[in-house]
Amino acid sequence: MSAFLKSRYFSLEFIMGLGLTLGITFCVLFSSWLFPGAGEIDLTARLIAPFQQPAHPFGTDPLGRDVMARVFAGGWISLQVGFVSVVGSVLIGVAVGLVAGYYRGIWDVVVMRSADIQLALPFILLAITIIAIVGGSLTNTILLLIVSQWVQYARLVRAQVLALREREFVLAAQAMGVKSRNIILQHLLPNLLGPVIVLMTLNVANNILLESSLTFLGLGVDPTIPSWGGMLADGRTYLQTAWWVSVFPGLAILLTVLGLNLLGDWLRDSLDPTGRTER
Amino acid sequence: MAGFLLKRLAQAVFVVMVVTLIVSVAVRMTGDPAMMIAQGATDITEADLERIREGLGLNEPFLSQYLATLSGLFTWDFGRSFLGGTPVSTLIGNALPATLLLAFTSLLVSIVISIPLGIRAAIRRGKWEDQLIRILSLVGLSFPNFWLATMLVLLFSITLQWLPPSGMNGIASFIMPAVTMGIILTATNVRLVRTSMLEVMQSQYIMVARAKGLSERTVLYKHALRNCAIPLITFLGLQFGGLLGGIVVVERVFNWPGMGSLAFDAVAGRDYPVLQSVIMILSTLIVLVNLLVDIAYGLIDPRIRTE
């Protein structure tokens, strides 16, 4: 441990990233315990300004709900979407990328052409169309993110495998008659996890941004569930009179995403020094 | 070189065709536009609905509708809006310049900020200025664009009352939308300028330029910066899709009369011809920009062609 504290990997970036991410995750996960009964409608306490009453440090919204309690409760949606969508994309993308890189053939073509299409079809535009058909919901938002993002992983893994399969340890395993399946799972997979983990961290951050944009536009999660994007959409109506309703949920998104980006950046420096996942 | 061009061109055509296909299929699943048009009329019969569908060309086979949509890219004829019957090309003709103008201004803002900052970070590599620029660029990357837009409105329109909160009306109305997108683009561009500068600064011609006794300013801005242009331009091409996606959202906040606003209204009204044309045109633009970047790159750097 003390060796880690002295190493070049230990940096301000790491402390800030880890602190923000863990702190926010903790507050969000335990929000119902930290703020019992808060966030309920209380028409006697409408639009209290922040820092006025100790019971409502971030003030209250037009329905008298405590903004701080709602910000922490609303984070649950973002964290869920960010995490689940990335895990889904990784499972599909890594599997397809491994097969495409190792066996080439049709999967290789699928990956490369899908990547072209993904690049040409901005997520928000695709989302507008698809959500218009299937309607906005938590599950649909997650599925949509997976559909539009697995390709990134497939492409990254494919490129890695193409380089790795020419290396001696893979050639040796092949010469010894190790089954292809075992080569892929035991020799290739562990060697390409670094860049995948870096991309995952940055992607959770990015997906939280995309989810909140969709919900803000009324295309994402059900507006009755507290979520950061949804709170910001509501807050716009009261921007002139109650700035705090719009400021705090956005600040929560900013800090969460910043924490993850800092961690991702630090991970990239540590795990992927050649910058294969540079964006 | 001809082979490289043909291959890239074929890829581009393929992507445009697939994207249009996806969008055409998806858009047709959003609901029956005849019902939307008939809404409000109380004594509508199935025969009336059928007549509306016939009039809109919805009874044609899907393939011929699809081909008609695609050919619109060449003839600039995208049919008429289901709502109001305005030609789609007129609506696009009004909205596309607004979006492109905003995209262009945002890029300009981003380039003006990111080049000096990126160079500064590269010169002061590892010093506090470099660290600060690095952290700031991560902060910029973490902003939700629609929230940044809202905060700018709160500060400059509501509190200070310096800038108009919405609409496209004069130069002042460009400032906030362009700065919003500009800040987010700058976050990635600063890092790109920094890394490419660091790479270029180690090359021998920079050493020669210094050895000749040229001023540091000339070395940096004339010799080094020019060689950063290629990676920067490629990256701007790749960013173009993300930029348009971001603009679509920001347009909503500023009530900008662009393609994003057009798309949202079209979804609400099940106005397929408009929605599908908006998405098809934006995707084609993205493909074209990347194609041009690839070609330019291939012309400048022969190594790319054989890749």
Side-chain angles (χ1 to χ4, degrees), chain A residues 13 113 116-117 120 125 128-129 132-133 213 216-217 232 246-247 250-251 258 261-262 265 268-269 279, chain B residues 11 15 18-19 26-27 29-30 134 138 141-142 144 146-147 191 235 252-253 264 267 279 282-283 286-287:
Chain A
E13 207 178 14
R113 294 296 80 81
D116 290 346
I117 293 165
L125 288 179
I128 294 172
T129 323
I133 309 169
S213 310
F216 175 75
L217 294 168
L232 286 171
S246 293
V247 167
L251 214 54
L258 179 62
N261 276 336
L262 285 166
D265 208 51
R268 175 162 55 208
D269 285 353
R279 56 174 174 178
Chain B
Q11 272 173 20
V15 171
V18 175
V19 167
V27 151
M29 293 165 77
T30 56
R134 183 186 166 116
L138 276 180
L141 208 62
S142 309
F146 61 95
W147 183 66
R191 306 182 130 216
F235 201 74
R252 204 60 180 161
V253 179
F264 284 111
V267 171
I279 300 183
L282 290 183
S283 301
I286 295 169
V287 171

Side-chain angles (χ1 to χ4, degrees), chain B residues 86-148:
Chain B
T86 328
V88 177
S89 51
T90 314
L91 296 172
I92 303 262
N94 293 332
L96 189 59
T99 296
L100 288 182
L101 219 52
L102 184 51
F104 181 73
T105 327
S106 311
L107 273 178
L108 208 67
V109 169
S110 148
I111 289 172
V112 167
I113 311 176
S114 52
I115 287 182
L117 282 184
I119 292 180
R120 192 83 198 154
I123 303 171
R124 303 278 174 196
R125 183 186 193 174
K127 304 266 168 47
W128 68 268
E129 281 162 292
D130 184 23
Q131 295 289 341
L132 184 71
I133 290 172
R134 183 186 166 116
I135 301 269
L136 279 183
S137 88
L138 276 180
V139 175
L141 208 62
S142 309
F143 268 106
N145 50 17
F146 61 95
W147 183 66
L148 181 57

Side-chain angles (χ1 to χ4, degrees), chain B:
Chain B
M1 188 65 198
F4 163 79
L5 284 180
L6 275 178
K7 203 177 143 201
R8 280 284 189 277
L9 196 64
Q11 272 173 20
V13 170
F14 169 79
V15 171
V16 169
M17 286 176 70
V18 175
V19 167
T20 309
L21 184 66
I22 294 174
V23 174
S24 305
V25 172
V27 151
R28 275 173 181 72
M29 293 165 77
T30 56
D32 185 356
M35 292 291 274
M36 283 298 288
I37 291 175
Q39 249 175 24
T42 44
D43 51 350
I44 197 99
T45 63
E46 184 53 38
D48 293 331
L49 286 177
E50 196 53 37
R51 210 168 312 122
I52 295 175
R53 286 189 201 116
E54 189 64 45
L56 295 172
L58 292 170
N59 288 342
E60 300 282 310
F62 175 72
L63 189 67
S64 68
Q65 290 188 43
Y66 169 65
L67 290 177
T69 312
L70 259 185
S71 68
L73 284 174
F74 299 97
T75 58
W76 205 248
D77 173 14
F78 305 102
R80 286 169 179 276
S81 160
F82 285 172
L83 309 172
T86 328
V88 177
S89 51
T90 314
L91 296 172
I92 303 262
N94 293 332
L96 189 59
T99 296
L100 288 182
L101 219 52
L102 184 51
F104 181 73
T105 327
S106 311
L107 273 178
L108 208 67
V109 169
S110 148
I111 289 172
V112 167
I113 311 176
S114 52
I115 287 182
L117 282 184
I119 292 180
R120 192 83 198 154
I123 303 171
R124 303 278 174 196
R125 183 186 193 174
K127 304 266 168 47
W128 68 268
E129 281 162 292
D130 184 23
Q131 295 289 341
L132 184 71
I133 290 172
R134 183 186 166 116
I135 301 269
L136 279 183
S137 88
L138 276 180
V139 175
L141 208 62
S142 309
F143 268 106
N145 50 17
F146 61 95
W147 183 66
L148 181 57
T150 313
M151 290 302 102
L152 291 179
V153 170
L154 183 61
L155 184 60
F156 293 105
S157 301
I158 295 177
T159 312
L160 298 171
Q161 306 206 326
W162 286 352
L163 295 169
S166 67
M168 183 174 83
N169 189 13
I171 294 178
S173 67
F174 272 83
I175 297 176
M176 287 196 294
V179 166
T180 306
M181 289 313 297
I183 287 179
I184 288 164
L185 285 179
T186 301
T188 38
N189 288 346
V190 163
R191 306 182 130 216
L192 192 73
V193 173
R194 176 183 176 275
T195 0
S196 1
M197 276 305 266
L198 283 175
E199 218 160 274
V200 169
M201 297 294 278
Q202 282 163 358
S203 56
Q204 297 195 328
Y205 56 82
I206 296 295
M207 269 164 62
V208 172
R210 283 201 174 124
K212 279 198 297 190
L214 293 179
S215 73
E216 193 61 23
R217 204 184 156 74
T218 318
V219 171
L220 283 177
Y221 284 87
K222 207 167 163 197
H223 294 253
L225 188 59
R226 279 193 188 180
N227 287 285
C228 292
I230 298 176
L232 199 62
I233 288 171
T234 319
F235 201 74
L236 289 179
L238 288 173
Q239 270 185 333
F240 191 63
L243 172 63
L244 285 183
I247 286 181
V248 166
V249 179
V250 170
E251 274 182 9
R252 204 60 180 161
V253 179
F254 291 108
N255 259 328
W256 195 258
M259 299 289 267
S261 303
L262 200 57
F264 284 111
D265 295 343
V267 171
R270 301 269 181 275
D271 198 350
Y272 314 160
V274 174
L275 180 60
Q276 110 189 351
S277 310
V278 167
I279 300 183
M280 182 172 70
I281 290 169
L282 290 183
S283 301
T284 308
L285 264 176
I286 295 169
V287 171
L288 271 181
V289 165
N290 280 297
L291 182 70
L292 289 177
V293 166
D294 272 355
I295 291 174
Y297 208 108
L299 285 174
I300 297 168
D301 188 344
R303 282 168 301 182
I304 306 296
R305 284 176 232 159
T306 51
E307 196 184 86

Side-chain angles (χ1 to χ4, degrees), chain A residues 166-187:
Chain A
E166 307 298 331
R167 297 267 296 272
E168 286 81 359
F169 67 94
V170 177
L171 295 177
Q174 281 170 341
M176 284 163 67
V178 179
K179 273 192 245 154
S180 295
R181 203 181 66 133
N182 291 344
I183 293 182
I184 292 177
L185 293 179
Q186 290 168 11
H187 297 272

